[in-house]
């Protein structure tokens, strides 16, 4: 088999890249180790920057997003028993963010490929890649075969095989002494806007998926076993962490799904070696507090699609040569913001009383100062300059 661009991984990065390349008349083949039902069901992020929405809409996969996406103009920081609204749109010249689950984007992108196209191969595991004589070795139905190509896009996530094929990478990593227990619940959200809550008991986040489905998260110990969290314990802990002095109430209901995700910051530099280009979680991870992971994955492949378009059109390598640096500027801005939001809002078990008081003072400042709130808003909506 031969194609122009071989893409490892059918997450949002790989699928959108294949879609953007097709619009430019460039052929690609996506190889995905899991089956289609699995990638369409996997619960992940859900907050889209306006730039992300614009690209999905502009490339013809925004129809359901426009119908079902929930536009947000602000968020709430909650601490000390009270809520403090950050008016995101007001502070960023009218920009908004949109709630639309990553799983829905994945479904829309899979549905958008041409009926006759064999561009996505599920249950096809990439075994190794050769960045210099560009090709991908994969296993499908028990047979090992090779896909020859001009370029390889490593969109195979944090645990994929592409990143190790970049020699001499500089790895930057930080683990946090906490994880998120996330739930999807069959209950109308108790809030219109997201609530990021800091409490003595730890962080909690109230997000949503639709007018009928809530998505909530609790800070837990990374060693925590999800089996230790029956539904009633989860709801009672959420109620305690979201409690306000004015008696705000959290609606509860059947929990459809629960899982624990570790939190880490991670960047691999550079994001390119020879004909291999890394994109999305394969190259970088952010803790989810800043809602940046999905937006970064999408912004990487926009840069890559444009650079490949220029190369195929005119032979220029300028944009391809700049790919890693271009992406990493935005990646590091998001890394800093995500780290900042995470340390601002979580209860760090290593923290002493002094550190704890500093954190509260910082929260009060962000809630009270227009300059500090603007910093949060600009980064959250994806409008921060990247120099
Ligand atoms: N061969 C083929 N496919 C693979 C292999 C392999 N060896 N290893 C991993 N994959 C697949 C995974 O099954 C997954 O479907 O690569 C895909 C990577 O997708 P994601 O992990 O979703 O990564 P990405 O597309 O970069 O999207 C990043 O996902 O983790 C969230 O918050 C993050 O929203 C962000 C987004
Ligand atoms: C989500 O809705 O899943 C979500 C929203 C905001 C975050 C993280 C996750 O910061």
């Amino acid at each position: 088999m031969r194609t122009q661009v071989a893409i490892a991984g059918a997450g949002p990065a790989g699928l959108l890249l294949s879609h953007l390349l097709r619009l430019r008349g460039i052929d690609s083949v996506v190889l995905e180790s899991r089956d289609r039902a699995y990638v369409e069901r996997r619960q992940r992020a859900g907050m889209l920057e306006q730039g992300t929405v614009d690209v999905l809409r502009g490339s013809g996969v925004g129809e359901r997003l426009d119908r079902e996406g929930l536009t947000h103009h602000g968020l709430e920081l909650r601490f000390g028993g009270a809520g403090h609204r950050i008016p995101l749109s007001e502070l960023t010249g009218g920009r908004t963010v949109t709630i639309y689950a990553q799983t829905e984007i994945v479904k829309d992108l899979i549905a958008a490929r041409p009926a006759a196209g064999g561009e996505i191969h599920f249950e096809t595991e990439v075994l190794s890649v050769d960045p210099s004589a560009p090709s991908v070795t994969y296993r499908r139905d028990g047979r090992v075969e090779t896909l020859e190509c001009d370029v390889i896009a490593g969109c195979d996530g944090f645990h994929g095989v592409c990143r190790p094929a970049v020699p001499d990478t500089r790895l930057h990593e930080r683990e946090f002494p906490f994880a998120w227990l996330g739930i999807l619940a069959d209950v109308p959200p108790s809030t219109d806007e997201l609530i990021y809550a800091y409490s003595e008991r730890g962080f909690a986040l109230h997000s949503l998926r639709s007018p009928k489905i809530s998505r909530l998260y609790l800070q837990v110990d990374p060693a925590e076993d999800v089996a230790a969290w029956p539904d009633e314990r989860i709801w009672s802990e959420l109620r305690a962490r979201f409690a306000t002095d004015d008696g705000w109430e959290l609606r509860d209901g059947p929990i459809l799904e629960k899982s624990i995700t570790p939190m880490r910051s991670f960047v691999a530099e550079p994001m390119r070696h020879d004909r291999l280009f890394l994109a999305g979680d394969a190259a970088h991870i952010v803790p989810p507090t800043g809602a940046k992971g999905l937006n970064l994955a999408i912004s990487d492949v926009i840069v890559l699609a444009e650079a490949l378009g220029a190369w195929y059109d005119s032979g220029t390598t300028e944009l391809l040569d700049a790919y890693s640096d271009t992406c990493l500027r935005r990646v590091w801005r998001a890394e800093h913001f995500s780290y900042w939001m995470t340390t601002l809002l979580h209860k760090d078990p290593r923290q002493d009383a002094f550190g704890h008081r500093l954190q509260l003072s910082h929260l009060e400042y962000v809630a009270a100062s227009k300059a500090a709130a603007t910093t949060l808003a600009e980064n959250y909506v994806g409008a921060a300059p990247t120099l």
Side-chain angles (χ1 to χ4, degrees):
M1 194 160 51
R2 188 185 155 79
T3 187
Q4 288 178 293
V5 181
I7 302 176
L15 290 170
L16 181 63
L17 179 63
S18 168
H19 179 70
L20 294 176
L21 292 176
R22 183 167 62 244
L23 296 178
R24 291 172 179 274
I26 300 167
D27 289 334
S28 67
V29 170
V30 182
L31 306 174
E32 165 60 50
S33 53
R34 303 286 191 156
D35 64 30
R36 176 173 175 176
Y38 181 90
V39 303
E40 290 189 339
R41 265 207 305 269
R42 186 168 46 187
Q43 287 304 319
R44 289 278 187 80
M47 179 60 88
L48 313 185
E49 294 172 2
Q50 192 171 313
T52 300
V53 171
D54 292 345
V55 166
L56 294 172
R57 194 180 281 148
S59 66
V61 284
E63 195 218 327
R64 205 157 62 89
L65 164 64
D66 280 335
R67 248 186 302 126
E68 297 174 19
L70 303 168
T71 306
H72 285 222
H73 298 272
L75 59 78
E76 180 180 325
L77 294 183
R78 188 175 285 190
F79 58 92
H84 309 266
R85 182 168 190 265
I86 305 292
L88 298 171
S89 299
E90 207 178 297
L91 296 170
T92 58
R95 294 179 82 89
T96 58
V97 287
T98 300
I99 283 284
Y100 189 67
Q102 178 169 322
T103 44
E104 305 310 310
I105 297 179
V106 164
K107 284 184 211 159
D108 294 344
L109 286 166
I110 292 174
R113 81 210 138 120
E119 288 169 7
I120 309 176
H121 297 267
F122 292 101
E123 297 176 76
T124 303
E125 186 190 1
V126 174
L127 302 174
S128 64
V129 296
D130 183 341
S132 302
S135 61
V136 173
T137 305
Y138 60 92
R139 182 170 34 226
R140 182 179 167 77
D141 294 333
R143 284 198 313 276
V144 174
E145 294 186 38
T146 299
L147 172 61
E148 310 280 343
C149 54
D150 300 329
V151 164
I152 304 158
C155 304
D156 51 349
F158 185 65
H159 301 287
V161 300
C162 289
R163 188 177 61 249
V166 176
D168 302 325
T169 39
R170 293 182 299 284
L171 303 182
H172 306 271
E173 182 158 24
R174 182 132 326 166
E175 300 244 357
F176 297 91
F178 32 78
W180 277 14
L181 167 61
I183 64 160
L184 196 65
D186 189 5
V187 58
S190 304
T191 177
D192 294 333
E193 294 185 339
L194 269 61
I195 305 172
Y196 287 81
Y198 168 80
S199 85
E200 281 294 322
R201 307 174 68 94
F203 170 76
L205 170 61
H206 193 329
S207 183
L208 44 140
R209 283 293 176 265
S210 76
K212 291 185 177 159
I213 302 284
S214 299
R215 175 97 171 130
L216 297 109
Y217 299 94
L218 277 175
Q219 172 187 349
V220 295
D221 189 274
E224 199 67 68
D225 181 355
V226 78
W229 287 86
D231 295 7
E232 194 33 57
R233 180 176 178 204
I234 293 176
W235 287 118
S236 106
E237 189 60 34
L238 284 166
R239 272 193 294 275
R241 295 190 192 183
F242 285 118
T244 61
D245 295 339
D246 64 4
W248 181 86
E249 283 194 24
L250 178 68
R251 275 192 286 262
D252 59 25
I255 293 181
L256 305 170
E257 203 182 291
K258 50 183 125 163
S259 61
I260 293 181
T261 320
M263 295 181 74
R264 63 162 68 82
S265 299
F266 176 88
V267 183
E269 298 185 296
M271 288 169 59
R272 175 206 183 163
H273 176 66
D274 216 341
R275 297 289 185 96
L276 168 64
F277 296 81
L278 303 178
D281 279 13
H284 42 74
I285 298 284
V286 285
T289 330
K292 287 286 159 250
L294 173 59
N295 295 292
L296 279 183
I298 286 184
S299 110
D300 286 350
V301 299
I302 293 166
V303 175
L304 186 53
E306 200 177 315
L308 288 170
W311 183 56
Y312 278 113
D313 281 351
S314 67
T316 174
T317 61
E318 202 181 324
L319 294 179
L320 283 178
D321 292 342
Y323 171 76
S324 180
D325 288 346
T326 305
C327 292
L328 284 167
R329 272 195 293 277
R330 187 182 175 114
V331 166
W332 277 110
R333 174 91 301 282
E335 289 287 347
H336 175 262
F337 174 64
S338 305
Y339 180 84
W340 179 81
M341 281 284 275
T342 301
T343 48
L344 178 69
L345 287 158
H346 288 72
K347 181 88 195 280
D348 189 330
R350 301 164 305 191
Q351 195 87 270
D352 61 7
F354 178 75
H356 179 57
R357 269 310 276 119
L358 287 181
Q359 193 178 344
L360 263 179
S361 170
H362 194 174
L363 276 163
E364 280 162 4
Y365 179 60
V366 174
S369 153
K370 187 169 176 189
T374 303
T375 299
L376 190 161
E378 215 170 59
N379 282 277
Y380 194 86
V381 305
T386 48
L387 304 173

